[in-house]
Amino acid sequence: MDNRDEVREFLVSRRARLSPEQAGVPAGSRRRVPGLRRSEVAALADVSVEYYAKLERGSLSGVSPAVLEAVARALQLDEAERVHLLHLAQAAEGSDTLARPRARSSRQWTPHSSLQWTLDAITAGPAWVANGRLDVLAANALARAYYADLYTTSTTKPPNMARFQFLDPVARRFYPDWDHVADMTVDLLRTEAGRNPHDKDLHDLVGELSTRCDDFRTRWGAHNVTRHGTGTKRFHHPVVGELTLSWEALAMTSESGLTLTVYTAEPGSPSEESLRLLASWAASRDDASETRAL
């Protein structure tokens, strides 16, 4: 996850996917590379071939915003990819301190009381807070019941959504659209790698998943990034069965890099009734646990 390698592989992958026809340049004959040639991207971005080759070797330090925007237009990057390129350039401008992997913190982050109160006040749907590595740092009662398998089988603290997605066989039953959710998960981790490339814990997570899961390794190598802020997912919960829920992901201004995600069901839908049943099941389970403790 060295920044220069990340830059090189990202630019090469974006160039390879763009055909001459899409870019509006003559296709010619005897093309030896998929997609555009470096010279064609350089011409579209109005920079010299030598300068673009330098960029594609991973050197974004000192590149002006105007050149980055020109390269983004030439490669027809979407908004998420454009932002990713800017994050890569910002990371390339880092000091020697940034060039070293960030030391792990010995203190585990804990939510301040008002955040947990806010989560607990959300009773109609699962709500939780995660960091860019997809560690679940705080959750309401319904989220803990919804992701009971995540909490039960996790071998790490805090539990991690990406490990659950790719290493726990239960996840393939929990997510009927497993491939789509897996793509989203890798997109989020790839975006975080561009934004925070020297996070040692992120390095370790990506290395673990790449070693243990072919599905992750293939997706990671694609260098795809996409914005995921809202949408709909299907689930198969072991207690209440099939659900279709909408979700919203909200950046937390009080804690940089953290995201609050809330799942909700369409009012009057079977999924709303299933969430009510799950909340009742979770409450009865908690009551039983308290009784045994007494």
Side-chain angles (χ1 to χ4, degrees), residues 1 3 42-43 46 51 53 55-56 60 66 68 73 87-89 93 106 113 131 138 164 189 191 205 218 243 267:
M1 291 172 60
N3 179 259
D46 197 24
Y51 188 77
L55 302 184
E56 206 170 87
L60 289 185
L68 292 173
R73 288 194 299 272
H87 283 152
L88 292 175
E93 296 287 353
S106 60
S113 299
N131 59 22
F164 176 66
L189 291 180
T191 299
L205 175 63
T218 299
L243 303 96

Side-chain angles (χ1 to χ4, degrees), residues 160-175:
N160 181 271
M161 285 285 193
R163 285 191 179 93
F164 176 66
Q165 173 79 42
F166 287 100
L167 301 182
D168 194 331
V170 171
R172 293 183 182 263
R173 296 192 299 272
F174 186 68
Y175 299 112

Side-chain angles (χ1 to χ4, degrees), residues 162-163 165-167 172 178 182 185-187 189-190 202 205-222:
R163 285 191 179 93
Q165 173 79 42
F166 287 100
L167 301 182
R172 293 183 182 263
W178 187 90
T185 298
V186 177
D187 288 353
L189 291 180
R190 177 60 78 179
L202 181 58
L205 175 63
V206 170
E208 176 189 357
L209 296 178
S210 297
T211 301
R212 298 179 60 186
C213 181
D214 291 341
D215 286 314
F216 178 87
R217 184 167 57 251
T218 299
R219 287 172 167 82
W220 186 256

Side-chain angles (χ1 to χ4, degrees), residues 91-103:
E93 296 287 353
S95 65
D96 290 340
T97 299
L98 278 179
R100 298 190 297 270
R102 180 177 298 175

Side-chain angles (χ1 to χ4, degrees), residues 10-87:
F10 179 66
L11 290 177
V12 168
S13 69
R14 299 311 93 173
R15 176 165 62 87
R17 73 173 185 181
L18 190 60
S19 70
E21 292 79 11
Q22 290 172 313
V25 301
S29 59
R30 291 169 30 175
R31 302 184 70 87
R32 296 182 179 180
V33 296
L36 297 182
R37 299 183 175 101
R38 285 180 179 171
S39 60
E40 292 167 335
V41 177
L44 290 168
D46 197 24
V47 298
S48 70
V49 177
E50 293 77 12
Y51 188 77
Y52 180 74
K54 174 186 173 184
L55 302 184
E56 206 170 87
R57 286 195 295 271
S59 181
L60 289 185
S61 179
V63 179
S64 71
V67 169
L68 292 173
E69 292 290 351
V71 170
R73 288 194 299 272
L75 293 173
Q76 299 183 16
L77 303 186
D78 63 24
E79 182 60 20
E81 292 167 331
R82 174 186 162 276
V83 171
H84 185 61
L85 179 62
L86 296 179
H87 283 152

Side-chain angles (χ1 to χ4, degrees), residues 77-279:
L77 303 186
D78 63 24
E79 182 60 20
E81 292 167 331
R82 174 186 162 276
V83 171
H84 185 61
L85 179 62
L86 296 179
H87 283 152
L88 292 175
Q90 290 167 359
E93 296 287 353
S95 65
D96 290 340
T97 299
L98 278 179
R100 298 190 297 270
R102 180 177 298 175
R104 293 184 180 90
S105 172
S106 60
R107 183 175 63 88
Q108 183 174 324
W109 183 90
T110 55
H112 46 85
S113 299
S114 60
L115 174 57
Q116 190 61 58
W117 297 339
T118 300
L119 290 170
D120 292 340
I122 302 172
T123 58
W128 70 95
V129 172
N131 59 22
R133 295 187 301 272
L134 304 183
D135 295 326
V136 180
L137 304 177
N140 67 359
L142 192 49
R144 291 191 294 272
Y146 202 77
Y147 284 101
D149 287 323
L150 168 71
Y151 283 92
T152 300
T153 63
S154 175
T155 58
T156 63
K157 289 185 178 181
N160 181 271
M161 285 285 193
R163 285 191 179 93
F164 176 66
Q165 173 79 42
F166 287 100
L167 301 182
D168 194 331
V170 171
R172 293 183 182 263
R173 296 192 299 272
F174 186 68
Y175 299 112
D177 303 314
W178 187 90
D179 285 307
H180 173 64
V181 179
D183 289 342
M184 291 176 59
T185 298
V186 177
D187 288 353
L188 291 170
L189 291 180
R190 177 60 78 179
T191 299
E192 180 66 10
R195 182 169 49 237
N196 191 11
H198 308 296
D199 182 335
K200 186 65 168 64
D201 290 317
L202 181 58
H203 283 220
D204 292 348
L205 175 63
V206 170
E208 176 189 357
L209 296 178
S210 297
T211 301
R212 298 179 60 186
C213 181
D214 291 341
D215 286 314
F216 178 87
R217 184 167 57 251
T218 299
R219 287 172 167 82
W220 186 256
H223 287 265
N224 291 329
V225 291
T226 309
R227 281 191 169 183
H228 298 292
T230 185
T232 302
K233 288 182 185 177
R234 294 192 306 131
F235 301 90
H236 181 83
H237 194 274
V239 175
V240 296
E242 303 293 331
L243 303 96
T244 299
L245 302 180
S246 298
W247 58 276
E248 297 285 339
L250 311 172
M252 294 180 56
T253 57
S254 61
E255 295 281 353
S256 178
L258 301 188
T259 301
L260 167 63
T261 301
V262 182
Y263 280 110
T264 55
E266 181 181 352
S269 67
S271 294
E272 184 184 45
E273 178 60 26
S274 294
L275 282 181
R276 289 199 188 100
L277 290 174
L278 183 61

